[in-house]
């Protein structure tokens, strides 16, 4: 177990990042003589950053006409004057230009998902070149033919999660290499945690809900300011198994956690001291609003008899380096990986289970666990072969909870060669890796057997995780600073857009943190017309797509209004709409269906200033009262037919 000072030494930014901030306000921080000094310098640094942003970017300026916006070049000059250290992040621009050229060639701005990629786009091009194909100087009009490049597929694994963890199975060298690289990237120790591949993020949440002992530890407490499909699936599954689901609430208008209520739910008295209360689920950051939540909640929950599940899916690419996993030791950790940024955001989920937490699981049937199965390259097939071994095998495989397409793995430096396994390092226990069961029914044993990876045609040295390697080389400070500058510039600039009327009605309403030093790289907002009426987020998304800007929309809920905001509550909240119909719910679910639909944008580590400028310039077009109608008629003219926008 590390002390707070030891964690601070492992994180270069601990004096000013969110990983240690919660401790500075906690009673235990007073035990450390250096804490007050760190707190003061941190607060001063944060305050200085916010003041610099608001006073240096378009000071005392309002934009009431989209044509009056400064050019990209002018805006970038002002941006670099406000954030002089942005030039120190130019290495990201070099990586983007070299390995993700499709982003510039396609003129597409990707702001619609958050997470971590595995491979780079250049790996696809490298494979085509190695086959003698001449790479195109521009992005092809049709999607790449993934049948011509190496694949690996997700095949379902049946059985019980607990049985799998206790009994184990056999990894291929390919899976062992994937697992080893991911755990190293996330700074998760194989001595303390098992790792399970899942079909996606939702499958990982459902897997925990299906396996956790809710019959004895009946409570499920979640902390989400937005509606998450994964969390909803977890709640539904856990309630069927006897759990009582509860949620934190978020205070209007800044959407901060209602700390008094949450603490009361966590600290409620237990009838039996040794009995666990249930499962506490905490996202380290909101993937919608960009709000970051104090890690202290994990410690409070653990001290009060909860098992803790940490949702790390919204973390930045290197944020796990600052997490201090050895200090908090959550019982479960969930993250996910996508394939290639801007090219293929599908992927798989990763569920980490602390070895000492296996006893909190039941041996129930579990869906969503997968194997990663590499396919043979085309040149390895014999002339009379009608397909790969995997294609034949998959005919008898069960259907996954969420079916995944084959994973394009353009990550092999050459033909696959059979080599001696090197997956077990010196000093590493041979039983530290999670293995797959060989059948759906396995006798449960109470000890971890020695497990040896099965022979395969791939070895760790054959796989290039180029995106992960790039993130590692860039480092936490560079990536975090870059996203901090970009997201805060965007927030501040959005707030400068005002309708050209006497009231100066703001065009944009931002939900959650605004200009803030330690906010996440995600933004939730709505656009309002000159009458003050909200433009539907789905419509904003469609119009943005026509401008080659990919954004998304979400639903904020569990919002708490103080008495002084009682009148505003009726104007702000609305019932969730799916399609053209309002969601009809039972009384106990009514709170979940009332909230705010919002537009969302998320910045990946490859985002640049042009990306945020393009979004800002697009939003500014709504200052034109006729913008939506003009777009409707333009669409009709192009397509020669009337289409509902």
């Amino acid at each position: 177990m590390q002390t707070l000072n030891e964690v601070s030494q492992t994180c270069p930014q601990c004096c000013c990042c969110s990983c240690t901030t919660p401790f500075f306000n906690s009673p235990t921080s007073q035990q450390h003589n250096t804490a007050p000094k760190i707190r003061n310098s941190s607060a001063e640094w944060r305050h200085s950053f916010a003041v610099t942003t608001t006073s240096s970017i378009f000071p005392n300026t309002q934009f009431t006409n989209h044509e009056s916006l400064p050019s990209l070049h002018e805006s970038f000059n002002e941006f670099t004057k406000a954030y002089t250290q942005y030039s120190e992040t130019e290495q990201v621009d070099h990586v983007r230009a070299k390995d993700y050229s499709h982003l510039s060639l396609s003129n597409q701005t990707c702001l619609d998902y958050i997470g971590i990629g595995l491979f780079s786009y250049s790996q696809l091009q490298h494979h085509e070149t190695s086959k003698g194909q001449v790479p195109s100087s521009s992005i092809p009009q049709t999607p790449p033919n993934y049948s011509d490049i190496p694949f690996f597929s997700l095949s379902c694994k049946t059985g019980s999660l607990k049985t799998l963890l206790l009994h184990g199975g056999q990894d291929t060298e390919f899976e062992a290499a994937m697992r080893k690289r991911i755990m190293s990237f996330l700074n998760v120790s194989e001595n303390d945690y098992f790792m399970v591949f899942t079909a996606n993020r939702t499958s990982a949440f459902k897997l925990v809900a299906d396996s956790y002992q809710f019959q004895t530890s009946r409570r499920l407490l979640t902390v989400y300011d937005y509606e998450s499909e994964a969390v909803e699936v977890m709640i539904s599954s856990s309630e069927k198994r006897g759990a009582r689901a509860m949620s934190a609430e978020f205070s209007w208008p800044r959407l901060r956690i209602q700390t008094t209520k949450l603490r009361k739910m966590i600290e409620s008295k237990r009838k039996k001291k040794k009995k666990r209360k249930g499962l506490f689920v905490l996202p380290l950051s909101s993937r919608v609003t960009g709000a970051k939540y104090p890690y202290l909640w994990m410690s409070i929950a653990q001290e009060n008899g909860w098992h803790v599940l940490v949702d790390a899916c919204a973390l930045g690419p290197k944020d796990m380096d600052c997490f201090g996993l050895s200090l908090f030791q959550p019982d479960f950790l969930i993250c996910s990986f996508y394939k290639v940024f801007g090219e293929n955001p599908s992927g798989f989920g990763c569920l980490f289970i602390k070895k000492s937490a296996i006893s909190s699981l039941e041996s129930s049937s579990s869906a969503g666990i997968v194997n990663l199965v590499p396919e043979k390259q085309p040149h390895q097939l014999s002339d009379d072969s009608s397909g790969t071994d995997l294609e034949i095998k998959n005919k008898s495989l069960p259907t996954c909870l969420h079916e995944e397409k084959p994973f394009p793995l353009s990550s092999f430096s050459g033909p696959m060669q059979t080599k001696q396994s090197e997956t077990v390092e010196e000093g590493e226990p041979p039983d530290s890796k999670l293995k797959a069961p060989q059948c759906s029914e396995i006798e449960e044993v109470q000890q971890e057997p020695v497990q040896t990876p099965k022979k395969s045609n791939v070895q760790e040295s054959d796989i290039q995780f180029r995106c992960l390697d790039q993130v590692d080389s860039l480092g936490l400070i560079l990536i975090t600073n870059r996203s901090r500058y970009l997201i805060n510039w965007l927030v501040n600039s959005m707030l400068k857009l005002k309708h050209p009327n006497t009231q100066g009605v703001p065009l944009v309403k931002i939900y959650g943190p605004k200009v803030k030093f330690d906010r996440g790289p995600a933004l939730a907002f709505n656009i309002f017309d000159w009458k003050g009426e909200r433009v539907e987020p789905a419509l904003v998304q469609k119009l943005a797509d026509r401008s080659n800007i990919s954004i998304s929309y979400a639903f904020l809920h569990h919002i708490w209004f103080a008495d002084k905001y009682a009148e505003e509550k009726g104007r702000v909240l609305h019932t969730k709409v799916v399609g053209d119909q309002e969601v009809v719910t039972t009384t106990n679910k009514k709170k979940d269906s009332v909230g705010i639909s919002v537009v969302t944008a998320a910045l990946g580590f490859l985002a640049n200033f042009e990306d945020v400028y393009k979004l800002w310039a697009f939003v500014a077009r709504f200052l034109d009262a006729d913008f939506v109608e003009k777009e409707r008629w333009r669409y009709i003219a192009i397509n020669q037919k009337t289409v509902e926008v």
Side-chain angles (χ1 to χ4, degrees):
M1 181 68 71
Q2 288 180 303
T3 66
L4 178 59
N5 291 335
E6 290 172 331
V7 174
S8 299
Q9 293 173 5
T10 65
C11 175
Q13 286 187 307
C14 274
C15 62
C16 55
C17 75
S18 64
C19 64
T20 59
T21 301
F23 291 98
F24 303 148
N25 299 320
S26 68
T28 57
S29 68
Q30 298 174 3
Q31 300 172 6
H32 301 272
N33 296 329
T34 58
K37 183 177 179 180
I38 296 176
R39 176 188 59 197
N40 293 336
S41 62
S42 174
E44 183 179 347
W45 182 276
R46 294 162 188 267
H47 178 72
S48 175
F49 177 86
V51 170
T52 299
T53 299
T54 54
S55 63
S56 302
I57 299 174
F58 309 129
N60 304 315
T61 305
Q62 293 184 359
F63 298 101
T64 59
N65 188 327
H66 71 281
E67 295 180 348
S68 68
L69 264 59
S71 67
L72 171 63
H73 179 72
E74 293 171 332
S75 298
F76 183 68
N77 286 338
E78 293 301 313
F79 171 77
T80 52
K81 288 179 183 178
Y83 304 118
T84 56
Q85 293 180 318
Y86 182 79
S87 60
E88 298 174 5
T89 72
E90 288 181 350
Q91 189 178 350
V92 178
D93 297 312
H94 299 323
V95 169
R96 174 170 170 151
K98 179 182 178 182
D99 286 296
Y100 303 87
S101 58
H102 64 299
L103 298 176
S104 299
L105 294 171
S106 63
N107 196 32
Q108 184 72 25
T109 297
C110 301
L111 303 172
D112 56 336
Y113 56 93
I114 195 169
I116 305 170
L118 290 172
F119 311 114
S120 71
Y121 181 77
S122 63
Q123 292 179 262
L124 301 180
Q125 296 177 312
H126 174 75
H127 180 79
E128 291 180 354
T129 303
S130 66
K131 291 177 60 179
Q133 299 179 7
V134 179
S136 174
S137 60
S138 61
I139 296 300
Q141 297 299 312
T142 57
N145 184 6
Y146 289 123
S147 63
D148 292 336
I149 64 177
F151 283 90
F152 74 77
S153 298
L154 304 183
S155 65
C156 296
K157 185 183 296 186
T158 58
S160 160
L161 173 62
K162 184 174 183 179
T163 300
L164 171 65
L165 297 174
L166 289 174
H167 185 281
Q170 286 189 330
D171 271 352
T172 62
E173 292 179 4
F174 175 78
E175 286 183 305
M178 290 285 289
R179 177 175 287 108
K180 181 178 179 180
R181 181 65 182 96
I182 289 174
M183 294 187 79
S184 172
F185 179 79
L186 294 174
N187 198 24
V188 177
S189 171
E190 292 183 274
N191 295 326
D192 299 322
Y193 287 88
F194 283 123
M195 173 182 163
V196 178
F197 292 110
T198 66
N200 48 35
R201 176 173 179 260
T202 300
S203 297
F205 275 83
K206 188 176 189 302
L207 194 58
V208 176
D210 289 342
S211 305
Y212 187 74
Q213 293 180 347
F214 282 117
Q215 286 80 1
T216 55
S217 305
R218 292 188 174 277
R219 298 184 182 183
L220 173 65
L221 177 56
T222 60
V223 185
Y224 287 82
D225 59 8
Y226 67 98
E227 183 181 79
S228 164
E229 176 189 358
V231 177
E232 294 302 310
V233 168
M234 167 177 263
I235 291 173
S236 176
S237 178
S238 62
E239 287 182 334
K240 291 177 181 177
R241 302 183 62 242
R244 176 193 172 195
M246 304 176 292
S247 174
E249 293 186 342
F250 303 85
S251 300
W252 180 263
R254 304 184 71 178
L255 298 187
R256 289 181 171 177
I257 291 177
Q258 263 281 303
T259 56
T260 302
K261 290 186 177 181
L262 181 56
R263 184 180 287 270
K264 185 177 180 180
M265 285 189 283
I266 292 176
E267 295 180 344
S268 59
K269 294 181 179 180
R270 287 177 286 171
K271 294 181 179 179
K272 297 180 181 179
K273 280 190 175 182
K274 293 184 179 180
K275 184 180 178 182
R276 288 283 184 173
K277 287 183 178 178
L279 186 63
F280 177 67
V281 183
L282 179 74
L284 298 179
S285 179
S286 170
R287 58 196 292 131
V288 172
T289 64
K292 291 193 174 183
Y293 303 123
Y295 298 167
L296 183 61
W297 289 116
M298 286 183 284
S299 179
I300 295 174
Q302 289 171 335
E303 291 172 0
N304 283 272
W306 294 79
H307 286 106
V308 174
L309 186 157
V310 168
D311 177 2
C313 294
L315 279 185
K318 288 298 292 180
D319 283 355
M320 282 295 287
D321 283 359
C322 201
F323 175 40
L325 189 68
S326 60
L327 178 65
F328 298 106
Q329 290 281 300
D331 301 285
F332 307 95
L333 177 73
I334 292 176
C335 69
S336 60
F337 290 84
Y338 57 80
K339 303 174 187 178
V340 180
F341 179 74
E343 175 67 21
N344 195 335
S346 61
F348 57 80
C350 300
L351 170 62
F352 298 89
I353 303 100
K354 189 178 179 182
K355 292 182 178 181
S356 61
I358 296 178
S359 60
S360 67
L361 303 178
E362 294 181 344
S363 300
S364 57
S365 178
S366 307
I369 307 174
V370 297
N371 282 119
L372 306 184
V373 186
E375 294 189 8
K376 291 182 179 180
Q377 295 190 48
H379 70 269
Q380 290 181 296
L381 298 177
S382 60
D383 294 336
D384 60 347
S385 175
S386 60
T388 66
D389 293 341
L390 179 66
E391 290 172 344
I392 299 172
K393 178 183 176 183
N394 275 345
K395 293 180 181 180
S396 60
L397 288 175
T399 303
C400 285
L401 178 67
H402 291 270
E403 191 86 18
E404 291 280 344
K405 294 181 179 179
F407 199 133
L409 177 72
S410 28
S411 54
F412 289 59
S413 56
M416 298 183 190
Q417 301 292 330
T418 303
K419 300 180 181 180
Q420 181 69 25
S421 172
E422 298 174 357
T423 56
V424 179
E425 295 182 333
E426 183 179 357
E428 180 182 20
D431 59 345
S432 63
K433 288 182 172 60
L434 172 65
K435 311 301 175 184
Q438 300 303 303
C439 58
S440 59
E441 297 288 339
I442 306 177
E443 182 181 358
E444 189 172 311
V445 297
Q446 299 301 319
Q447 60 182 2
E448 300 169 12
V450 175
Q451 300 154 342
T452 303
K454 291 190 296 186
K455 296 280 185 183
S456 175
N457 290 330
V458 63
Q459 204 174 28
E460 183 182 1
S461 59
D462 295 324
I463 307 176
Q464 297 179 17
F465 300 88
R466 191 167 296 176
C467 186
L468 298 187
D469 294 341
Q470 290 161 348
V471 168
D472 279 340
S473 66
L474 293 170
L476 170 67
I477 296 178
L478 185 148
I479 291 173
T480 304
N481 283 343
R482 183 180 175 94
S483 64
R484 176 178 293 123
Y485 302 145
L486 292 173
I487 193 66
N488 279 285
W489 181 91
L490 179 61
V491 169
N492 187 75
S493 299
M494 288 279 207
L495 296 175
K496 299 289 184 179
L497 303 176
K498 307 284 185 179
H499 282 289
N501 51 29
T502 55
Q503 293 80 17
V505 178
L507 175 70
V508 176
K509 168 69 178 178
I510 292 175
Y511 304 90
K514 296 181 175 57
V515 174
K516 190 175 182 181
F517 180 83
D518 60 352
R519 78 181 324 284
L523 178 65
F525 66 96
N526 269 322
I527 297 173
F528 293 84
D529 62 22
W530 63 276
K531 297 179 182 178
E533 296 181 0
R534 181 173 59 95
V535 181
E536 285 298 323
L539 174 58
V540 176
Q541 183 196 40
K542 290 180 182 179
L543 295 177
D545 188 60
R546 295 184 192 174
S547 298
N548 292 325
I549 301 173
S550 299
I551 54 179
S552 189
Y553 57 91
F555 189 73
L556 302 178
H557 63 176
H558 299 144
I559 303 173
W560 180 84
F561 289 79
D563 292 339
K564 61 181 178 179
Y565 297 114
E567 293 184 6
E568 192 172 356
K569 178 179 180 180
R571 297 193 302 268
V572 170
L573 297 181
H574 59 267
T575 303
K576 182 173 62 178
V577 176
V578 177
D580 297 326
Q581 302 293 325
E582 288 189 350
V583 175
V584 179
T585 61
T586 58
T587 303
N588 61 330
K589 291 294 183 181
K590 191 173 182 180
K591 282 186 177 181
D592 294 341
S593 65
V594 176
I596 308 171
S597 296
V598 296
V599 183
T600 68
L603 308 185
F605 84 98
L606 289 168
N608 61 16
F609 182 78
E610 185 176 358
D611 291 334
V612 295
Y613 178 86
K614 284 177 64 177
L615 177 60
W616 182 54
F618 163 74
V619 171
R621 296 179 67 186
F622 287 85
L623 290 170
D624 181 354
D626 298 323
F627 171 63
V628 174
E629 194 62 27
K630 288 177 182 177
E631 285 295 300
R632 191 189 308 274
W633 283 106
R634 184 175 73 87
Y635 194 78
I636 293 174
I638 293 174
N639 294 275
Q640 297 299 309
K641 61 181 180 179
T642 302
V643 176
E644 187 68 24
V645 179

